[in-house]
Amino acid sequence: MCAPRIVQVAHERARPNRRAVLAAAGVAALAATAAPARAVPTATGVVDLTHTLHPGLPTWPGSPPFTSIPVSWHAISGFDQNALAYWEHSGTHVDAPVHRIPGGATVDALPVADLVAPLVVIDISAKAETDADAALTVDDIDRWEDEHGRVPDRALVTLYSGWERRLADPAAFLNLRDGVPHAPGIDPAAAEHLVAHRNVVGVGVDTLSLDTGRSRDYGAHTTILGAGRYGVEMLANLAAVPPSGATVVVGAPKHAGGTGGPCRVLALV
């Protein structure tokens, strides 16, 4: 273990600033690679749907990058340890209801039974390729059900837009125009359909927001979190799991009063 003063100094050094936010884009290429084209896998096993947290991973505009500072070393104390600094909604992460809804459930209060669920992947990558503001609609859900059957009860429904192909270029992933991000998300009417008529436990996306990036009323957030469900943002590798039939395990964090936090998400295929 390291002395409290060492941890304090490390956190002071790790405190993000504006320069760090602007510089983060420059290191993304060190850890990011383009995602594969959408394909249904034939092998079975466990698929990691989680991006690795690192300083170059894009965050919502204005949020600082993830930071890790060594505070203990084998050569000195016999143990390695890092001090971490990040905002709750960094990397692949959970949105708890309280993130949008005053008085909503905090991340530590999410029912554990809801964190293991049937996984649904709805592919809108074709329209997202030509329209950065593409949204998952009720029609998209209907087409998925025509092919795969009704969305299972208490499922986690996820949107696959293929957006992670842009991770090698953080500017393209954020896709800012006049300071406004443009990226696919969920239409509020589709969100309402999923919580009111399909009884989902939550909804996930492979982008930075449940809503389309340009949204300013955040209707999908309000509908999903307002119904007591959770969201998962910035999922990885959705191209590697089938549209239906898999089970997802959401390793949500458990800190008191949390509005969400980075999580490890696994698909059992």
Side-chain angles (χ1 to χ4, degrees), residues 246-260:
T247 297
V248 67
V249 180
V250 180
K254 192 178 181 182
H255 53 290
T259 71

Side-chain angles (χ1 to χ4, degrees), residues 68-93:
S68 176
I69 301 292
V71 295
S72 181
W73 299 264
H74 287 134
I76 296 175
S77 67
F79 294 90
D80 259 10
Q81 185 175 186
N82 300 315
L84 307 181
Y86 56 85
W87 285 17
E88 285 178 315
H89 299 265
S90 299
T92 303
H93 65 273

Side-chain angles (χ1 to χ4, degrees), residues 14-43:
R15 185 174 296 131
N17 54 42
R18 181 175 178 82
R19 180 174 298 175
V21 174
L22 295 175
V27 289
L30 297 177
T33 56
R38 176 72 176 157
V40 176
T42 56

Side-chain angles (χ1 to χ4, degrees), residues 74-265:
H74 287 134
I76 296 175
S77 67
F79 294 90
D80 259 10
Q81 185 175 186
N82 300 315
L84 307 181
Y86 56 85
W87 285 17
E88 285 178 315
H89 299 265
S90 299
T92 303
H93 65 273
V94 170
D95 282 5
V98 74
H99 180 48
R100 177 65 174 166
I101 307 300
T106 54
V107 71
D108 51 306
L110 293 176
V112 293
D114 290 351
L115 301 177
V116 181
L119 177 63
V120 167
V121 182
I122 303 180
D123 187 345
I124 69 161
S125 59
K127 65 179 179 180
E129 190 170 351
T130 58
D131 179 9
D133 299 309
L136 175 72
T137 65
V138 174
D139 286 343
D140 292 319
I141 298 169
D142 289 343
R143 280 191 289 271
W144 188 94
E145 291 188 325
D146 287 342
E147 185 173 355
H148 304 287
R150 186 181 173 92
V151 170
D153 190 58
R154 310 301 290 170
L156 176 69
V157 174
T158 63
L159 161 69
Y160 173 69
S161 71
W163 208 247
E164 69 179 312
R165 296 175 190 150
R166 296 173 173 240
L167 268 179
D169 181 358
F173 192 89
L174 290 173
N175 200 27
L176 296 176
R177 303 177 206 161
D178 298 323
V180 177
H182 290 263
I186 300 169
D187 182 85
E192 176 64 27
H193 181 72
L194 289 171
V195 299
H197 303 293
R198 293 299 181 267
N199 195 31
V200 298
V201 296
V203 177
V205 294
D206 56 0
T207 59
L208 287 171
S209 176
L210 299 178
D211 289 277
T212 58
R214 66 178 179 178
S215 173
R216 287 300 171 266
D217 61 5
Y218 306 110
H221 273 90
T222 301
T223 298
I224 295 162
L225 304 184
R229 274 60 164 193
Y230 64 85
V232 185
E233 294 171 330
M234 210 172 182
L235 285 162
N237 299 323
L238 287 174
V241 294
S244 64
T247 297
V248 67
V249 180
V250 180
K254 192 178 181 182
H255 53 290
T259 71
C263 59
R264 192 71 178 263
V265 183

